[in-house]
Amino acid sequence: MKILFVAGDPKPERWTVPIKELLPEAEVYVWDPEGPAVGADYAIVWQPPEALFEREKHLKAVFNLGAGIDGLLKVANLPEALTVVRLEDAGMSVQMAEYVLHQLLEASRGMETYREQQRQSLWKIHRPIKRSEWPVGVMGLGHIGKPVARTLANLDYQVSGWARGEHSLKGVNTFAGPDQLGDFLKATRVLVNTLPLTDETRDIINYELLSQLQPGAVLINVGRGEHLVEDDLLRALDDGTVLRASLDVFRKEPLPEGHPFWQRQEITITPHISARTLRDATLEQITGKIRDHAAGRAISGIVDTDRGY
């Protein structure tokens, strides 16, 4: 079989060498924008160019180097019948749960207050938190959202979850569909977004949505920057609808130097690091699926391109 690596990594050998070790029977190629077609059976990609699908006409499946496939679905000439496979976890869900927990504790435990007291050489103990005052709502209950919700519920936070379809999750009160979104928001003070980016979810975090959260609301966005209407968040911070926000994803990355988010003390900014792709786990998963697919065995992680995930 022939495998084509299309990810724009300046050191593609970091990927291609272990691919060859895991699939010694395969011929592994690196995408060359000026090169000829290689007749690839499979492509491993991250935000591939349209030229890939113009040139490689015999692809059996394309494997995305990430759980979010919005960058791949933007490619105008992505063949409708082509099997698209997303990354399932590969170590990302644990990282995401850690990140969300850290941001939640920063808010609920008032850790900035203690850091400020240290700067002032001030020893002062504040009352313990009541977890009942910090109900969390997780938007999106997929391979990332479910572990996040479970982690917080296991620490005795009151956790709700909302998704497009019905889900059942121990210790988590679940809501489904547009009709139940309002009830979910009313039960939420700390909103955690892990949704996939689709036409339905783009701009979903707007002022109307934020205004339905409980007083003293906190936003943690680890989904996509396009989920958030940035001016609406600034408005919500200005009028006190939202107390603080932790943002790891942005409409434009890197976040431009003059962006107003940089100047807001209520906003914590991180450079899209909440869950990094772990190369070894990723390649073990993808090469295993390529072997199974080539042998005619069923694989998981196939994307419904109409739904966007």
Side-chain angles (χ1 to χ4, degrees), residues 59-95:
L59 289 170
K60 299 174 183 177
V62 58
F63 291 80
N64 194 57
L65 284 172
I69 50 90
D70 47 284
L72 177 55
L73 296 184
K74 288 179 182 177
V75 180
N77 62 343
L78 179 69
E80 291 184 7
L82 182 62
T83 297
V84 176
V85 188
R86 61 177 171 79
L87 195 62
E88 295 178 282
D89 198 345
M92 290 189 292
S93 65
V94 171
Q95 296 178 70

Side-chain angles (χ1 to χ4, degrees), residues 4-7 29-34 36 49 51-53 55-56:
L4 184 59
F5 180 76
V6 192
Y29 300 86
V30 176
W31 171 256
D32 179 357
E34 306 301 326
L52 168 64
F53 303 107
R55 185 187 304 173
E56 299 295 335

Side-chain angles (χ1 to χ4, degrees), residues 201-214:
T201 64
R202 192 181 306 274
D203 297 331
I204 191 172
I205 307 175
N206 53 31
Y207 188 83
E208 180 183 0
L209 181 143
L210 293 171
S211 65
Q212 296 178 65
L213 298 171
Q214 292 184 7

